[in-house]
């Protein structure tokens, strides 16, 4: 019951969205070379995060996961999860008719995301250092 899977930058963790938009499953990826091929095993669960959201993105240091969630009044907001502490934080608080979408990490733990109004006529790219703030850096 998992889909929309995303591989972490190192290839050692996979995050998948749970059916029904109930949250995310994090699993360890174990690749064992078998001749010229690999046998991939993702049977070891690492964590389950109960936070509805769209496809997640994992930071390069694999400490943070980030997603956007849809709310009332045609809004979408960015949420970040500290995978070492389990802390979840809402990064944006969009007004009605505005959506913060598709967050993606840079290698320095800043992330970019798209902001648009509900009719799609206006679009911006925004950036945030919320992961650095959560890490106390």
């Amino acid at each position: 019951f998992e889909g929309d899977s995303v591989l972490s930058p190192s290839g050692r963790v996979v995050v998948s969205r749970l059916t029904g938009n109930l949250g995310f499953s994090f699993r360890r990826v174990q690749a064992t070379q078998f001749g010229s091929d690999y046998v991939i095993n993702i049977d070891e669960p690492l964590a389950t995060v109960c936070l509805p959201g769209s496809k997640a993105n994992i930071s390069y240091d694999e400490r943070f996961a980030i997603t956007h969630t849809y709310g009332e009044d045609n809004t979408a907001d960015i949420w970040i999860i500290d995978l070492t502490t389990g802390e979840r934080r809402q990064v944006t608080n969009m007004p009605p008719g505005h959506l913060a979408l598709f967050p993606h990490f840079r290698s320095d733990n800043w992330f970019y995301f798209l902001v648009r109004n509900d009719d799609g006529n206006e679009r911006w790219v925004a950036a945030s250092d919320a992961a650095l703030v959560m890490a106390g850096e």
Side-chain angles (χ1 to χ4, degrees), residues 89-102:
R89 226 181 249 184
Q90 185 175 347
V91 177
T92 61
N93 186 14
M94 303 306 290
H98 290 79
L99 300 99
L101 304 167
F102 317 122

Side-chain angles (χ1 to χ4, degrees), residues 41-118:
N41 182 322
I42 60 168
D43 291 340
E44 183 182 346
L46 297 173
T48 300
V49 175
C50 297
L51 173 71
S54 296
K55 190 178 276 191
N57 186 259
I58 301 175
S59 62
Y60 282 81
D61 64 3
E62 299 181 357
R63 177 173 175 178
F64 298 97
I66 195 161
T67 190
H68 70 268
T69 63
Y70 291 99
E72 298 176 8
D73 297 326
N74 198 20
T75 61
D77 285 299
I78 305 294
W79 283 78
I80 189 167
I81 306 152
D82 185 332
L83 298 173
T84 60
T85 66
E87 180 183 359
R88 300 177 298 184
R89 226 181 249 184
Q90 185 175 347
V91 177
T92 61
N93 186 14
M94 303 306 290
H98 290 79
L99 300 99
L101 304 167
F102 317 122
H104 189 81
F105 276 102
R106 296 185 337 187
S107 61
D108 60 0
N109 274 351
W110 277 72
F111 59 88
Y112 293 116
F113 57 98
L114 176 69
V115 178
R116 69 172 176 85
N117 62 353
D118 58 358

